[in-house]
Amino acid sequence: MQPRTNVAGARSARTIDRRTFLRLCAAAAPALVVPMALAPRIGDTIESHRKPALAPPEPPPRLPQAAAMQQGAIMAHLNPVVAENCPDPGVMEDAGRFYMVSTTHVLPAFPIRVSSDLVNWERTGAFVFTEGNRPSWARDHFWAPEIHRVADRYVVYYTARSTETNLLCIGVATASTPLGPYEDLGAPLVSQDTAALDPTFFRDEDGRQYLYWKADAPGSPSGPILAQQLTPDGLALVGSPVEVLRNDLGWEGRLVEAPCLVKRGSYYYLFYSGSDYDTPNYAVGVARSTSPLGGFQKHGEPILRGSGRWKGPGHNSVATLNGQDYILYHAWEGRRFRDVRPCLADPLGWTADGWPAVEGGQPGGAE
């Protein structure tokens, strides 16, 4: 398959500074309220990190495209929200609680954390896999898990290396509760001639369900992001996969990966990460389409890049609390990558022309 050129006319959102962003937030919501649930990290008080109240400017500034940035709340915390190693955070909301799983490489695989506010995360002591229930087909490289409620049970989609082919494949396991115990399907859900990784699940408003994943090209990570319909139980694929995205922008480097699909209004928004994960160039991009299976037009420049403190932000999830969207992702500190990636969280706003935006385009707490 040949790489597709970027759709003509796709525009990048105008960058605005932090102060202007906050003034616009105030204009959109005259009484900005910090939800009390959004507390700082454990041991802090919300007052110690509360931002001063902002009065609506008269008149509000007129900035094309950015003028209607909508931000329902300002997150009152200091990043990271998970200070320990927490790569590839996959976040699910269920019955008022949030569950997070993350990459571990080895067993026990995928610790399950829980939170009521997206800020204070606690380990439950549960793992998706241990030596007692390890997938029989998987050797190692337990990467990029996500928990989803599918039909009447909980389903984990994940990446692991096959004992038979030595390639990365996508597996699936089920449980009756979010904390398990989980039982693997017994064979990979997606097994290709090249590596398959970074699965994500999406259920559309019509009830149809889809799996998205990154497929390497032969001998190269520069392959596409694919999508394919799932059966109602989420345990089998329907039809054939279709390509929905490929690296064709300069900042994406040699690859795109880590898809995450969100629907807002009439658009499907495909968040993704580009460039190499262990470099400061790694960043979060987004594309949108009116179909879940194609026609995605890229925003252009990343919506989230590294800062002086936090580098290589990527592999994100999107969660909603009290009507406000948040982006959760990993990033790393220091001059050199040391394979330690805490989890960060920031409010996700939306521009007047319908693109997601992170305040300042960088991780919060970047100072």
Side-chain angles (χ1 to χ4, degrees), residues 170-181:
I170 292 171
V172 59
T174 63
S176 59
T177 74
L179 300 183

Side-chain angles (χ1 to χ4, degrees), residues 222-240:
S222 63
I225 291 176
L226 302 177
Q228 190 169 350
Q229 191 174 340
L230 286 162
T231 53
D233 62 6
L235 303 183
L237 294 165
V238 177
S240 301

Side-chain angles (χ1 to χ4, degrees), residues 51 68 73 83 136 181-182 184 207 249 264-265 294 302 306 311 314 342 360:
K51 299 188 185 226
S136 58
Y182 283 89
D184 187 70
L249 298 178
R264 179 182 169 89
K311 299 176 179 65

Side-chain angles (χ1 to χ4, degrees), residues 265-323:
S266 60
Y267 281 112
Y268 299 85
Y269 292 88
L270 182 60
F271 293 79
Y272 65 95
S273 299
S275 195
D276 291 295
Y277 76 96
D278 56 355
T279 72
N281 298 325
Y282 201 59
V284 175
V286 67
R288 69 184 182 186
S289 173
T290 55
S291 167
L293 291 178
F296 284 92
Q297 300 182 7
K298 291 181 179 178
H299 173 271
E301 289 302 305
I303 65 165
L304 181 61
R305 288 185 182 270
S307 65
R309 178 185 177 189
W310 296 108
K311 299 176 179 65
H315 204 121
N316 71 281
S317 292
V318 174
T320 303
L321 177 64
N322 297 332

Side-chain angles (χ1 to χ4, degrees), residues 304-363:
L304 181 61
R305 288 185 182 270
S307 65
R309 178 185 177 189
W310 296 108
K311 299 176 179 65
H315 204 121
N316 71 281
S317 292
V318 174
T320 303
L321 177 64
N322 297 332
Q324 169 65 46
D325 296 325
Y326 294 91
I327 184 170
L328 295 96
Y329 56 95
H330 69 234
W332 52 277
E333 294 182 275
R335 294 185 177 182
R336 293 189 301 111
F337 179 76
R338 301 178 184 275
D339 205 17
V340 176
R341 290 168 284 175
C343 176
L344 287 68
D346 287 292
L348 192 66
W350 296 86
T351 64
D353 55 354
W355 287 102
V358 178
E359 177 189 343
Q362 293 184 328

